[in-house]
Amino acid sequence: MERMKNLAYYNGRITSIEDMMIPANDRGFYFGDGIYEVAMVFNHKIFALEDHLDRMANSAALVRIELPAAKEEIGHLLEELALKVESPCQFLYWQITRASSPRNHLFPEGVASNLYVYSKPWKGVEMSDEYRLMTVEDTRFLHCNIKTLNLLPNVMAAQKAKEAGCSEAVFVRDGYVTEGSHSNISMIKDGVFVTHPLDHLILPGTERNHMIRYCAELGILVEERAFTVEELAEADEIIVSSTSHPSMRAMELDGKAVGMKNPELVKKLRDKYMEEIEK
Ligand code: PDD
């Protein structure tokens, strides 16, 4: 099989990412009217595919987008696409938009949803012990559990953090930490893993979920509860997690030194992750 350097797929058409053209009437373009997923590919296999397909189906249902094919079929297609890219390690993105139709707020009738996928080479597992965080007011809407394409507040927060020399923005709502601009924020305090509960204020992160499972396997207590910025500043460890950056350890929050006090526990969680991807 002739493999590609990178790949884009749109409703059955396959090109390189650079050559893909999307119709302007795709409602993702007008309204951000769609949902998306990101998964890692290791050795040409999609890591935690079921978790991503379940969340995709859930996000789509919450905004009343009908999937263009059964969840399992989309999974098979993604697996096939990941085989077509040269690099065994890939960053795989896909989005489903409601339809293509002339601009109108109302849902168009009788038009199928669009599936766009791309996959590009990825350098491998990204971990860091040097994350700098900056708090930013969480002014997002109250449906953060939906992985929607509408990410403008996240984009603004991420850029603000970067311009301040930071690696990630930490959203704070009413004094409580919700999540990062493109990650979940968890902390370790006195040997307990603490992370925001699953509700409408955060995205149900796959890595957040995996870490909770690793904790159960390791006999580490987990508390799913909201915590304040002050608590975060006092944490033994702060872990920033996402699919592409599964375990980023923060050493600074708003210019002050934080965390870095329980490296053993962080290592145990990281070892679990590495074991799992090797499987
Ligand atoms: N972002 N919260 C937000 C707002 C996110 O955008 C992400 C992921 C997460 C972590 O979810 P997961 O562990 O399933 O990756 C939490 C992806 C990677 C992105 O938008 O690129």
Side-chain angles (χ1 to χ4, degrees):
M1 180 185 18
E2 180 94 24
R3 284 185 162 146
M4 300 168 74
K5 290 245 176 301
N6 70 44
L7 169 154
Y9 168 103
Y10 184 72
N11 294 344
R13 201 152 40 88
I14 294 178
T15 64
S16 67
I17 298 175
E18 296 75 18
D19 291 336
M20 181 53 76
M21 304 285 275
I22 309 282
N25 270 344
D26 184 315
R27 287 172 63 98
F29 181 50
Y30 294 130
F31 301 109
D33 189 357
I35 55 102
Y36 78 104
E37 280 295 326
V38 175
M40 287 290 105
V41 176
F42 298 113
N43 199 19
H44 292 285
K45 293 198 183 72
I46 305 171
F47 180 59
L49 177 60
E50 289 306 315
D51 296 350
H52 291 284
L53 290 174
D54 288 346
R55 186 172 61 187
M56 167 196 79
N58 195 50
S59 294
L62 288 168
V63 293
R64 297 168 58 193
I65 288 178
E66 245 178 74
L67 297 179
K71 192 171 78 169
E72 297 71 25
E73 270 178 59
I74 295 175
H76 289 143
L77 171 69
L78 294 168
E79 283 173 325
E80 276 174 31
L81 295 177
L83 285 174
K84 292 187 195 293
V85 175
E86 267 172 28
S87 170
C89 186
Q90 301 161 37
F91 179 103
L92 174 71
Y93 173 98
W94 69 100
Q95 67 177 41
I96 295 167
T97 59
R98 187 176 310 280
S100 292
S101 185
R103 186 178 183 279
N104 183 326
H105 284 62
L106 303 178
F107 300 174
E109 275 171 33
V111 197
S113 51
N114 300 308
L115 174 60
Y116 169 64
V117 185
Y118 77 76
S119 199
K120 64 177 184 185
W122 191 245
K123 32 205 173 248
V125 177
E126 285 267 298
M127 290 190 186
S128 165
D129 289 341
E130 297 182 344
Y131 252 34
R132 293 189 159 85
L133 305 176
M134 179 194 194
T135 54
V136 172
E137 195 189 337
D138 192 346
T139 57
R140 297 175 301 162
F141 73 167
L142 299 174
H143 305 280
C144 301
N145 51 323
I146 306 170
K147 204 162 169 61
T148 143
L149 297 178
N150 286 275
L151 291 174
L152 202 43
N154 307 59
V155 166
M156 299 303 286
Q159 183 64 23
K160 192 171 175 186
K162 179 174 183 267
E163 287 173 7
C166 293
S167 348
E168 174 62 309
V170 175
F171 280 129
V172 178
R173 202 187 281 271
D174 302 325
Y176 287 92
V177 172
T178 51
E179 61 181 336
S181 77
H182 52 293
S183 60
N184 290 111
I185 309 283
S186 306
M187 64 177 195
I188 295 166
K189 183 68 184 174
D190 300 329
V192 180
F193 182 87
V194 188
T195 194
H196 198 286
L198 292 185
D199 58 15
H200 59 293
L201 299 179
I202 68 159
L203 186 81
T206 54
E207 284 315 318
R208 172 194 173 282
N209 218 13
H210 295 168
M211 283 192 291
I212 290 176
R213 181 159 47 76
Y214 303 156
C215 285
E217 290 167 11
L218 291 163
I220 296 164
L221 278 180
V222 174
E223 281 178 20
E224 290 184 72
R225 62 165 178 89
F227 49 85
T228 62
V229 184
E230 291 73 27
E231 280 182 273
L232 188 66
E234 296 288 304
D236 296 331
E237 292 285 345
I238 301 176
I239 303 176
V240 180
S241 68
S242 73
T243 295
S244 54
H245 296 81
S247 180
M248 314 312 264
R249 227 172 141 211
M251 59 168 195
E252 198 182 284
L253 175 68
D254 290 334
K256 298 199 187 81
V258 289
M260 313 298 283
K261 294 189 198 78
N262 196 340
E264 300 80 17
L265 209 157
V266 174
K267 181 170 185 308
K268 282 185 190 166
L269 294 175
R270 288 179 172 179
D271 288 349
K272 277 274 180 195
Y273 177 85
M274 295 309 292
E275 258 172 48
E276 200 155 273
I277 66 167
E278 265 145 37
K279 258 194 264 160

